[in-house]
Amino acid sequence: MPNMKNKDVLSIETDVSDLRIYEIINNFFGKDYAGWMKAWFDINDEFAAWFPTITKEDIKPNGKYGGTACCSNTLSADGKSIVEMNHDLSWDVEWTDNPKFDKKRLVFGRINGKFCFLGVFMREPLLEYEHIAYRHTRIATAINLSTFELINDYGQIKLELDPEFSPGAIEFFKENENIELSSYELACGLEACDRDKDMPRMLFDFIVSLYKDAIESGNVNAMNNLGALYYDGRGCEQDFTKAVYYYKMAAENGSQIAQENLGYCYYYGRNMPVDYEKAFHYFALGAFAGSLISLYKIGDMYQNGYYVEKNPTEAFCIYDRCMVTMTDEAAPHVAGPVLLRIGNCFLYGNGVEESPKSALVCFQQAESYLYDMVARGNVMYKKSLNAAIEGQAKAREKLEKLLPKKEWKHE
């Protein structure tokens, strides 16, 4: 657990049982109130303090704390979640949809007449009820009030993980229990687990803290990986601004992968204007360093005439070069997208003689690789997977027209 001797750290171990609401606000958030009886206090743009009356079962609300006289706030037995239920069906959902209520909440629950700090929570709507209802899930057991960095102890994380959603992470902890890992190694190992599932916010925040610790030691790969975490939005809302920030940090320190990732950001305009010149620059750096992903993206730029003069023949040659130099190690990550592009070239005769049969073969191979990529959690390739399947149908349609019209008349 965090060191509770640090007065800047607020933890589930911090005793607030003798404090009133206004005293909690004054003590922890530097205010000077003589009284505050509201259940909500905005701390800053990202965080708020919430003072709900908590029960361990869904009983009739008493209306004193929690925001309204018609809301109950039910704490789970393990303390990891709170179900907030509005029992008045006449309430307008737009009021509770106010964006300010989506802030991270420092929850001071009133249990049996005494306040208890329950941790930092995030809310999500529960749609299965006819009532307005939300589930608040704990994302951290402590927070540094000077920096507002969320804190989750290594041991606490292991206890908090749900086997249903994080079986791989739980197994990773078990396998490395007696092995001393660096912050970077631990972050990479946890991030690689359960990629087919949503990452719990608590685990995401823990991984972010590990990468930041590695970044302080100058770890360039940690800079890129943290950018990729925000880019993918696994465990958080996608944040391209933060992604670009860390990609640039890594690229300026010599990371070839980060340079390639910046190429994508400029190519697609991720929270920035599309800039094909910069995209070409970064993809060229990656291609010269041996990246097949950067190389096929340069092929895309020739195929579409982005920054360079449109040249489908050159694009096809680049795609073909990717397959000729493809290694067994690179194939699971690169072959699918490249084969999809070659299939389209053969299907429409772009840069090569039209060949529906060759297109069909490429689309079939692309589907196999792309399916595996999506199954491993790379959901951004779902559209490519669907395109490979649709490409096969188009290729078969063209092949059907090439077959003899004569039918076999005998059974």
Side-chain angles (χ1 to χ4, degrees), residues 67-80:
T68 73
C70 49
C71 284
S72 61
N73 303 286
T74 309
L75 181 67
S76 62
D78 58 11
K80 297 179 184 178

Side-chain angles (χ1 to χ4, degrees), residues 164-176:
E164 181 180 353
F165 300 105
S166 307
I170 292 172
E171 186 61 28
F172 177 82
F173 276 125
K174 289 181 180 178
E175 291 177 353
N176 294 278

Side-chain angles (χ1 to χ4, degrees), residues 9 11 26 32 59 71 111 132 173 176 222 231 252 271 347 363 368 371:
V9 173
S11 160
N26 293 344
D32 188 22
I59 62 175
C71 284
I111 303 175
I132 299 173
F173 276 125
N176 294 278
Y231 188 95
E252 290 168 359
N271 275 27
L347 182 65
F363 286 136
S368 178
Y371 175 84

Side-chain angles (χ1 to χ4, degrees), residues 50-228:
W50 186 36
F51 303 89
T53 291
I54 295 291
T55 63
K56 293 192 176 181
E57 57 184 26
D58 191 14
I59 62 175
K60 183 179 179 180
N62 61 23
K64 290 184 179 179
Y65 296 93
T68 73
C70 49
C71 284
S72 61
N73 303 286
T74 309
L75 181 67
S76 62
D78 58 11
K80 297 179 184 178
S81 66
I82 300 168
V83 172
E84 178 187 10
M85 180 81 72
N86 190 321
H87 296 266
D88 186 346
L89 295 179
S90 67
W91 269 67
D92 186 355
V93 70
E94 290 185 4
W95 185 85
T96 56
D97 275 347
N98 188 322
K100 83 169 189 175
F101 295 125
D102 289 327
K103 291 182 178 182
K104 298 182 181 73
R105 302 180 178 210
L106 281 65
V107 179
F108 297 86
R110 187 181 178 93
I111 303 175
N112 298 326
K114 297 286 188 179
F115 281 111
C116 174
F117 181 65
L118 301 175
V120 184
F121 289 68
M122 287 284 286
R123 80 166 188 172
E124 59 181 344
L126 290 174
L127 303 179
E128 63 264 33
Y129 296 101
E130 60 176 337
H131 305 271
I132 299 173
Y134 295 91
R135 173 180 286 112
H136 303 268
T137 302
R138 188 165 69 190
I139 60 173
T141 56
I143 183 170
N144 186 313
L145 296 177
S146 294
T147 62
F148 283 93
E149 291 283 337
L150 299 180
I151 302 170
N152 272 304
D153 180 78
Y154 181 93
Q156 187 68 26
I157 286 285
K158 291 191 289 184
L159 294 174
E160 296 266 342
L161 290 176
D162 189 327
E164 181 180 353
F165 300 105
S166 307
I170 292 172
E171 186 61 28
F172 177 82
F173 276 125
K174 289 181 180 178
E175 291 177 353
N176 294 278
E177 191 169 6
N178 298 315
I179 301 175
E180 186 172 344
L181 299 175
S182 67
S183 295
Y184 174 73
E185 291 169 332
L186 182 55
C188 290
L190 290 171
E191 189 183 352
C193 297
D194 309 304
R195 292 197 63 86
D196 59 331
K197 303 179 186 298
D198 291 334
M199 182 186 290
R201 182 63 193 228
M202 173 187 63
L203 184 58
F204 169 84
D205 288 326
F206 183 54
I207 291 173
V208 168
S209 68
L210 292 171
Y211 276 139
K212 286 184 176 180
D213 182 63
I215 288 171
E216 288 183 3
S217 301
N219 190 311
V220 175
N221 291 329
M223 300 171 193
N224 175 74
N225 289 8
L226 185 52

Side-chain angles (χ1 to χ4, degrees), residues 5 20 95 130 135 139-140 209 254 264 286 291 301 317 334 356 358 361 378 380 397 403:
K5 292 182 180 179
R20 299 179 182 182
W95 185 85
E130 60 176 337
R135 173 180 286 112
I139 60 173
S209 68
Y264 271 94
S291 168
M301 300 190 79
C317 289
V334 188
S358 296
V361 172
N378 294 315
M380 70 179 68
E397 184 179 346
L403 294 176

